[in-house]
């Protein structure tokens, strides 16, 4: 079965403050102004009380409306959460900075200047002198100034130059101010040499780490419109005229470390602190690029996540691009494939099948099944990838040997209804709700749908005929490493607005399997690495994981000579500091067709470097000291 392509999805919330409301004074009832013989003191007192109550209620209503308009209007704006709402910014709107978890600047505004003029108020005989003056002060070619004045002699506005450097722009501003300071108090300032020349600050988005995490960050284009990534997802918050912090546990800015506060808040009073660790990001990008090139793959992805919180420590794709020079990049490289590209996961999905069966009590790690080399389910014959029969196997050994026939029997023991219940509980077929633009939900056909048949239970059990995203897969295995708790993945650790900070609280999406079932799965996944995926081992550390080599589905069927190779695992196995997915798209079969010999070794190399960076001692030292 070929999964249907999914369109990239993105959403942003925003809106404009509701127009100010006014409450008019009620018209005076002429009957209340009677005097003379019909006048009553009691009626007068009652009338004054009524008027006082009306005035008081009216005043309270006015104050509430002002509060809504001036302070918390975004909470009452009916369009605030609309998928079609967009915050519109012009090309001079400042945007907040983005820093990594240690305060390293990843994105910010660098200011240049735009120089404009009002040609209709500049005498032609002064053009040459003005051109030379602007060339000297601001580095604008004199010929350029002359030509633009000559082309628009009667215009009220013309751009003489854009992207004038900060020092040049400041020099021009200082010269203009000096003219004003030296002018006679009665002099018409518009008649000064620079009187009809104007300097405008012009922010340009700058990414000081170049291509690092570029697909996570996204970028602002020439019109300062956000393209993908965090820039797009937080488009209603980051602009200086955007919404403020939503309701939540607001903290003072001092909750952030001094390093994190170094660039926060920015001139826009806004900023994001990420969960991304720049060093981890650099490690995975370097190893991924080397791996893609060494194994002759077309592309690849790596995600590193903290299983106990869902915080993304690193997220990389290759090829990548430099957001500072996006105009020269291949637009295909802009996509963050870790959240926006679905694929058939292959045998790494077997851990989901076995986890569901263990949790439901259908099997144990020691349950024995017989592999005869083939199995028929729903009128479809399924074989092992090696076209061999392995006889009697315990579930743990079948997982280590990546046995298709036994996996199908495990799925049958679980039953189709329970199998797809666990697939959904692990988060497949739905967005993870990670805070990045462009996430897709994958594709899972379930019993009762027109596209489903019993044979799908068999093929889905070992990751064929089902489409997932890398972020779904790493989150699901993260739940196994986290005592069965599935956490919502997130990239932003804190949102900053002025002196206020909203910290992201780790969110439990669901208790997918019991802690006991998760512990049994961890032991089985360690057994997989020790016996079946030895190239993924890390010297000195216990590691759990599983490889998967998936044929690529096309409209004409499966492409057998090219595959998707992936490995998902965690370390140290007894107390995981991270869970990681490594994925290679179409590695060269002449070099290595199998994930255990390509994605597995990349996982091993990255894991070793991450454990060193995170200062995790080897198992014998760590366990002996009780850490």
């Amino acid at each position: 079965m070929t999964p249907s392509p999914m369109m990239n999805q993105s959403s942003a919330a925003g809106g404009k403050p509701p127009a100010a409301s006014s409450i008019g004074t009620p018209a005076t009832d002429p009957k209340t102004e009677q005097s003379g013989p019909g006048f009553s003191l009691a009626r007068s007192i009652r009338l004054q009380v009524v008027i006082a109550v009306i005035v008081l209620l009216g005043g309270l209503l006015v104050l509430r409306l002002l509060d809504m308009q001036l302070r918390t209007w975004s909470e009452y704006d009916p369009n605030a959460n609309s998928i079609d709402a967009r915050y519109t910014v012009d090309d001079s709107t400042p945007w907040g900075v983005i820093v990594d978890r240690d305060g390293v600047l990843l994105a910010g505004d660098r200011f240049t200047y735009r120089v404009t003029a009002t040609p209709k108020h500049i005498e032609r005989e002064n053009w040459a002198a003005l051109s030379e003056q602007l060339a000297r002060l601001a580095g604008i070619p004199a010929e350029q100034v002359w030509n633009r004045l000559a082309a628009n002699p009667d215009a009220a506005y013309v751009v003489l130059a854009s992207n004038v450097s900060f020092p040049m722009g400041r020099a021009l501003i200082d010269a203009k101010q000096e003219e004003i300071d030296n002018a006679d108090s009665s002099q018409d300032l518009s008649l000064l040499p620079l009187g009809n020349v104007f300097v405008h600050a012009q922010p340009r988005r700058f990414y000081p780490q170049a291509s690092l995490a570029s697909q996570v960050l996204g970028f602002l284009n020439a019109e300062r419109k956000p393209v993908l990534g965090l820039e797009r997802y937080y488009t209603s918050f980051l602009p200086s005229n955007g919404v403020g912090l939503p309701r939540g546990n607001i903290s003072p800015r001092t909750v952030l470390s001094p390093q994190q506060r170094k660039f926060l808040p920015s001139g826009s009073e806004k900023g994001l602190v990420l969960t991304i660790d720049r060093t981890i990001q650099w490690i995975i990008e370097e190893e991924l690029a080397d791996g893609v090139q060494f194994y002759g793959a077309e592309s690849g992805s790596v995600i590193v996540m903290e299983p106990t919180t869902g915080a993304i420590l690193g997220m990389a794709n290759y090829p990548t691009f430099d957001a500072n020079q996006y105009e020269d990049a291949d637009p295909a490289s802009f996509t963050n494939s870790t959240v926006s590209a679905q694929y058939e996961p292959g045998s790494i999905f077997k851990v989901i099948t076995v986890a569901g069966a263990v949790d439901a009590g259908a099997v144990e790690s020691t349950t024995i099944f017989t592999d005869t080399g083939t199995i028929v389910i729903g009128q479809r014959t399924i074989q092992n990838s090696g076209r061999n029969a392995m006889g009697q196997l315990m579930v743990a050994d079948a997982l280590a040997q990546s046995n298709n026939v036994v996996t199908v029997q495990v799925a049958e023991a679980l039953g189709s209804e329970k199998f797809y219940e666990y697939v959904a509980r692990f988060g497949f077929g739905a967005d993870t709700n990670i805070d990045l633009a462009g996430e897709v939900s994958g594709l899972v056909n379930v019993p009762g749908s027109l596209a489903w048949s019993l044979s799908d239970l068999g093929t889905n059990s070992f990751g064929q005929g089902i489409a997932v995203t890398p972020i779904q897969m790493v989150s699901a295995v993260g739940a196994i490493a986290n005592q069965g708790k599935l956490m919502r993945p997130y990239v932003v650790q804190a949102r900053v607005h002025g002196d206020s900070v909203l910290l992201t609280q780790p969110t439990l999406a669901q208790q997918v399997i019991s802690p006991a079932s998760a512990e049994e799965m961890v032991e089985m996944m360690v057994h997989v690495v020790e016996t079946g995926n030895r190239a993924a081992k890390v010297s000195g550390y216990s590691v759990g994981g599983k490889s998967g080599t998936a044929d690529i589905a096309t409209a004409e069927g499966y492409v057998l000579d090219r595959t998707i190779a992936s490995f998902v695992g965690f370390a140290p196995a007894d107390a995981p500091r991270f869970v990681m997915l490594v994925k290679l798209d179409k590695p060269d079969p002449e070099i290595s067709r199998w994930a255990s010999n390509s994605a597995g070794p990349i996982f091993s190399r990255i894991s070793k470097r991450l454990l060193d960076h995170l200062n995790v001692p080897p198992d014998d030292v760590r366990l002996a000291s009780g850490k």
Side-chain angles (χ1 to χ4, degrees):
M1 186 196 74
T2 304
S4 303
M6 301 290 292
M7 298 296 291
N8 287 354
Q9 301 171 350
S10 63
S11 64
K16 296 182 178 179
S21 302
S22 60
I23 302 178
T25 304
T28 304
D29 185 349
K31 294 179 180 178
T32 66
E33 296 185 354
Q34 291 183 14
S35 59
F39 176 80
S40 164
L41 179 61
R43 286 179 59 196
S44 176
I45 293 174
R46 286 197 302 270
L47 181 60
Q48 291 178 29
V49 171
V50 170
I51 291 174
V53 170
I54 292 174
V55 170
L56 177 62
L57 291 176
L60 290 174
L61 182 58
V62 170
L63 290 175
R64 186 58 176 155
L65 286 172
L66 286 173
D67 179 71
M68 291 169 60
Q69 294 166 25
L70 301 179
R71 189 171 64 87
T72 58
W73 60 265
S74 62
E75 298 171 16
Y76 300 91
D77 184 0
N79 294 318
N81 297 312
S82 168
I83 195 170
D84 294 322
R86 294 289 185 273
Y87 238 90
T88 57
V89 296
D90 60 37
D91 64 359
S92 63
T93 303
W95 278 54
V97 301
I98 302 176
V99 301
D100 86 333
R101 67 191 298 120
D102 295 319
V104 176
L105 185 64
L106 300 178
D109 281 345
R110 276 201 315 192
F111 284 86
T112 57
Y113 289 94
R114 181 194 301 121
V115 179
T116 66
T118 307
K120 68 178 184 179
H121 293 153
I122 303 174
E123 298 295 335
R124 185 181 182 89
E125 57 266 24
N126 295 331
W127 288 2
L130 179 60
S131 299
E132 293 299 328
Q133 187 178 18
L134 292 179
R136 184 179 69 258
L137 291 172
I140 306 172
E143 184 180 4
Q144 176 178 312
V145 175
W146 175 279
N147 289 339
R148 294 191 178 183
L149 292 173
N152 305 275
D154 299 320
Y157 176 88
V158 67
V159 176
L160 299 180
S162 297
N163 296 322
V164 174
S165 71
F166 187 84
M168 292 289 192
R170 290 305 311 175
L172 182 55
I173 291 172
D174 292 343
K176 188 176 171 70
Q177 185 61 49
E178 185 178 357
E179 281 189 353
I180 295 172
D181 293 342
N182 294 334
D184 187 276
S185 59
S186 61
Q187 188 173 358
D188 186 349
L189 298 181
S190 67
L191 298 178
L192 296 174
L194 295 175
N196 288 288
V197 173
F198 308 95
V199 187
H200 314 267
Q202 185 179 28
R204 179 174 174 83
R205 205 61 165 164
F206 175 56
Y207 302 91
Q209 308 300 320
S211 62
L212 192 80
S214 59
Q215 289 130 335
V216 176
L217 296 171
F219 61 91
L220 299 188
N221 64 17
E223 291 75 37
R224 290 180 66 77
K225 305 303 181 191
V227 179
L228 298 175
L230 290 165
E231 302 276 33
R232 177 67 177 271
Y233 190 89
Y234 286 95
T235 187
S236 63
F237 173 74
L238 282 170
S240 59
N241 64 347
V243 299
L245 296 175
R247 282 184 173 177
N249 187 17
I250 304 297
S251 303
R253 194 166 65 95
T254 51
V255 300
L256 302 177
S257 69
Q259 293 85 353
Q260 290 173 324
R261 298 199 304 267
K262 182 177 180 180
F263 295 102
L264 292 167
S266 63
S268 71
E269 290 292 296
K270 303 288 187 63
L272 300 176
V273 180
L274 305 188
T275 59
I276 298 289
D277 180 317
R278 181 186 64 162
T279 300
I280 290 177
Q281 185 71 26
W282 186 83
I283 290 171
I284 66 176
E285 288 194 12
E286 181 181 58
E287 292 288 354
L288 177 61
D290 289 347
V292 167
Q293 293 167 23
F294 181 83
Y295 293 106
E298 288 188 0
S299 56
S301 301
V302 174
I303 305 175
V304 179
M305 187 181 82
E306 197 172 64
T308 54
T309 63
I312 301 298
L313 303 179
M315 178 178 277
N317 300 282
Y318 185 87
T320 186
F321 70 100
D322 184 348
N324 297 305
Q325 302 173 30
Y326 68 87
E327 302 94 334
D328 302 325
D330 180 359
S333 67
F334 297 164
T335 301
N336 185 353
S337 297
T338 63
V339 300
S340 299
Q342 59 186 20
Y343 71 108
E344 293 194 3
S347 292
I348 57 174
F349 203 78
K350 289 172 181 173
V351 300
I352 306 302
T353 301
V354 174
V358 167
D359 191 63
V363 303
E364 296 177 352
S365 61
T366 56
T367 302
I368 295 176
F369 290 93
T370 301
D371 169 26
T372 60
T374 62
I375 186 171
V376 177
I377 180 171
Q379 299 182 336
R380 179 167 182 172
T381 300
I382 291 173
Q383 300 175 301
N384 294 318
S385 58
R387 304 298 187 264
N388 57 336
M390 303 186 70
Q392 288 191 325
L393 286 173
M394 290 192 300
V395 170
D397 291 327
L399 188 63
Q401 299 303 318
S402 203
N403 189 285
N404 291 346
V405 173
V406 171
T407 303
V408 174
Q409 293 178 70
V410 171
E412 288 182 314
L414 178 58
S416 59
E417 182 178 346
K418 279 289 186 181
F419 173 79
Y420 289 102
E421 177 185 323
Y422 277 102
V423 168
R425 289 173 68 173
F426 271 105
F428 298 103
D431 290 352
T432 65
N433 292 318
I434 189 171
D435 49 343
L436 288 171
E439 182 180 15
V440 299
S441 57
L443 181 66
V444 180
N445 290 319
V446 296
S449 66
L450 293 176
W452 187 85
S453 67
L454 184 58
S455 64
D456 289 328
L457 174 62
T459 57
N460 291 175
S461 72
F462 55 86
Q464 192 177 88
I466 187 170
V468 307
T469 61
I471 189 62
Q472 288 175 335
M473 199 69 235
V474 77
S475 296
V477 174
I480 293 173
N482 186 37
Q483 300 183 321
K485 297 180 177 70
L486 178 68
M487 306 302 291
R488 181 185 72 83
Y490 62 100
V491 179
V492 171
Q493 182 184 114
R495 280 171 277 183
V496 180
H497 187 192
D499 289 327
S500 299
V501 174
L502 180 65
L503 297 174
T504 301
Q505 300 301 320
T507 302
L508 174 65
Q510 190 165 189
Q511 181 76 46
V512 182
I513 56 177
S514 70
S517 298
E519 184 178 355
E520 187 170 355
M521 284 304 303
V522 167
E523 292 176 357
M524 277 195 273
M525 293 179 73
V526 170
H527 178 64
V528 169
V529 173
E530 293 294 327
T531 62
N533 288 160
R534 292 179 180 175
K537 293 177 66 174
V538 180
S539 178
Y541 299 88
S542 59
V543 173
K546 179 72 181 78
S547 65
T549 305
D551 295 329
I552 297 174
T554 68
E556 291 75 31
Y558 285 94
V559 179
L560 299 181
D561 62 337
R562 285 299 176 102
T563 59
I564 294 177
S566 54
F567 188 94
V568 63
F570 43 83
D574 63 295
R577 293 291 300 275
F578 60 82
V579 57
M580 184 200 321
L581 177 119
V582 176
K583 173 173 167 279
L584 297 177
D585 301 310
K586 300 181 181 179
D588 187 346
E590 298 282 327
I591 301 173
S592 178
R593 182 179 188 275
W594 302 105
S596 57
N597 297 324
S598 56
I602 296 174
F603 172 89
S604 176
R605 289 194 298 273
I606 295 176
S607 293
K608 176 58 177 172
R609 295 178 69 178
L610 296 190
L611 290 165
D612 288 344
H613 169 66
L614 296 171
N615 198 27
V616 180
D619 289 353
D620 55 353
V621 177
R622 179 173 52 86
L623 297 176
S625 63
K627 293 182 180 179

